[in-house]
């Protein structure tokens, strides 16, 4: 029986990935390195390797990279404070599902960024629990974020379904033994979603599928 939905945050509920790309691109530009959109998708949205890989390719050590990370996080914070769009239909869907099944957010966002993102979205009113980057050691595509969510909330893998938008999120869910619905958005369109339970084009398609899973049909 379906008991819980585990939502990804960035790209599923809120449209932040373009802002994160901008922050990473500007960070690397300060180091004299160009980051293309395609490269960002490969390293950040698929592999979750990020700045460290790009820096290593250009002969930069960890000591030189740490100030860049600090600048990137500060710049991303600045961009978030300017306003974060909610994915069209996300509020409507969460309100529709609220009370029928438990709902949590499992995100790679740091707590500071997550709190800024949702300061005015109103989405958390429908959410029962959240896990942010500080709540686990290894980020997606490692299964640890989802395994931690299951353990902390006394849920079994067969009792949950994940909603993701990225390749790395899908792989994390599958590695944790979870079913995963994928809704590609923006930069994640065109990625490989082999293994997904279903690939949707709009978040408004989620409630009928959830009711289908709850009824066991």
């Amino acid at each position: 029986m379906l008991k819980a939905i585990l939502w990804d945050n960035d790209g599923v509920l809120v449209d932040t990935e373009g802002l994160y790309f901008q922050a990473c691109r500007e960070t690397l530009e300060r180091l004299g390195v160009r980051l293309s959109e395609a490269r960002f998708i490969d390293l950040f949205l698929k592999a979750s390797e990020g700045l460290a890989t790009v820096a290593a390719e250009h002969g930069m050590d960890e000591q030189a990279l740490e100030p860049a990370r600090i600048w990137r996080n500060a710049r991303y914070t600045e961009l978030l404070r300017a306003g974060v769009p909610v994915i069209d239909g996300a509020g409507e869907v969460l309100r529709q599902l609220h009370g029928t099944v438990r709902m949590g957010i499992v995100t790679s966002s740091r707590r500071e960024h997550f709190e800024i993102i949702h300061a005015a979205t109103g989405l958390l009113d429908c959410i029962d629990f959240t896990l942010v980057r500080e709540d686990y050691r290894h980020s997606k595509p490692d299964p640890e974020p989802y395994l931690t969510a299951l353990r902390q909330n006394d849920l079994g893998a067969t009792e949950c379904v994940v909603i993701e938008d990225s390749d790395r999120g899908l792989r994390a869910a599958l590695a944790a033994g979870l079913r995963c619905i994928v809704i590609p958005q923006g930069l994640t369109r065109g990625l490989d979603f082999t293994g997904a339970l279903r690939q949707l084009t709009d978040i408004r398609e989620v409630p009928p599928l959830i009711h289908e899973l709850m009824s066991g049909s």
Side-chain angles (χ1 to χ4, degrees):
M1 179 179 177
L2 182 67
K3 292 184 178 180
I5 303 171
L6 306 180
W7 295 90
D8 179 41
N9 185 60
D10 301 274
V12 173
L13 298 176
V14 288
D15 189 8
T16 56
E17 287 175 341
L19 300 179
Y20 190 60
F21 170 48
Q22 181 179 343
C24 292
R25 188 189 68 231
E26 292 177 3
T27 299
L28 288 168
E29 282 175 354
R30 289 164 54 88
L31 300 174
V33 177
R34 180 180 177 274
L35 178 66
S36 68
E37 184 176 289
R39 187 73 166 141
F40 174 79
I41 292 170
D42 283 340
L43 290 181
F44 291 79
L45 300 185
K46 292 174 69 175
S48 195
E49 294 176 357
L51 292 179
T53 296
V54 179
E57 290 173 351
H58 291 81
M60 301 173 200
D61 60 20
E62 188 64 29
Q63 185 175 358
L65 187 59
E66 188 55 29
R69 280 202 185 98
I70 292 171
W71 192 92
R72 188 271 311 276
N73 290 339
R75 177 59 174 144
Y76 186 47
T77 297
E78 181 181 20
L79 292 170
L80 293 176
R81 289 192 189 283
V84 178
V86 173
I87 294 293
D88 188 32
E92 169 193 338
V93 167
L94 291 185
R95 288 190 296 272
Q96 187 175 346
L97 292 171
H98 182 53
T100 65
V101 63
R102 292 179 69 192
M103 294 194 290
I105 294 176
V106 182
T107 178
S108 299
S109 287
R110 297 186 178 278
R111 181 169 284 105
E112 175 192 9
H113 294 149
F114 185 78
E115 290 175 353
I116 293 169
I117 288 167
H118 287 289
T121 66
L123 299 182
L124 299 188
D125 293 343
C126 298
I127 297 298
D128 299 295
F129 58 90
T130 61
L131 271 80
V132 296
R133 183 64 185 85
E134 289 86 350
D135 293 325
Y136 48 83
R137 290 183 58 198
H138 303 292
S139 190
K140 304 170 188 178
D142 193 284
E144 184 183 354
Y146 284 119
L147 292 174
T148 302
L150 296 179
R151 184 177 66 253
Q152 290 185 356
N153 294 280
D154 194 26
L155 292 165
T158 60
E159 298 173 324
C160 304
V161 66
V162 169
I163 315 287
E164 277 281 358
D165 74 311
S166 70
D167 171 83
R168 68 174 181 171
L170 171 62
R171 285 186 287 137
L174 294 179
L178 291 155
R179 295 168 291 179
C180 185
I181 299 165
V182 176
I183 314 173
Q185 299 277 353
L187 295 175
T188 63
R189 286 194 176 97
L191 299 184
D192 180 13
F193 297 115
T194 301
L197 176 67
R198 198 79 58 85
Q199 183 171 330
L200 309 180
T201 58
D202 191 295
I203 195 170
R204 295 179 183 87
E205 299 173 60
V206 170
L209 181 52
I210 293 302
H211 290 304
E212 179 183 320
L213 293 173
M214 291 178 70
S215 67
S217 60

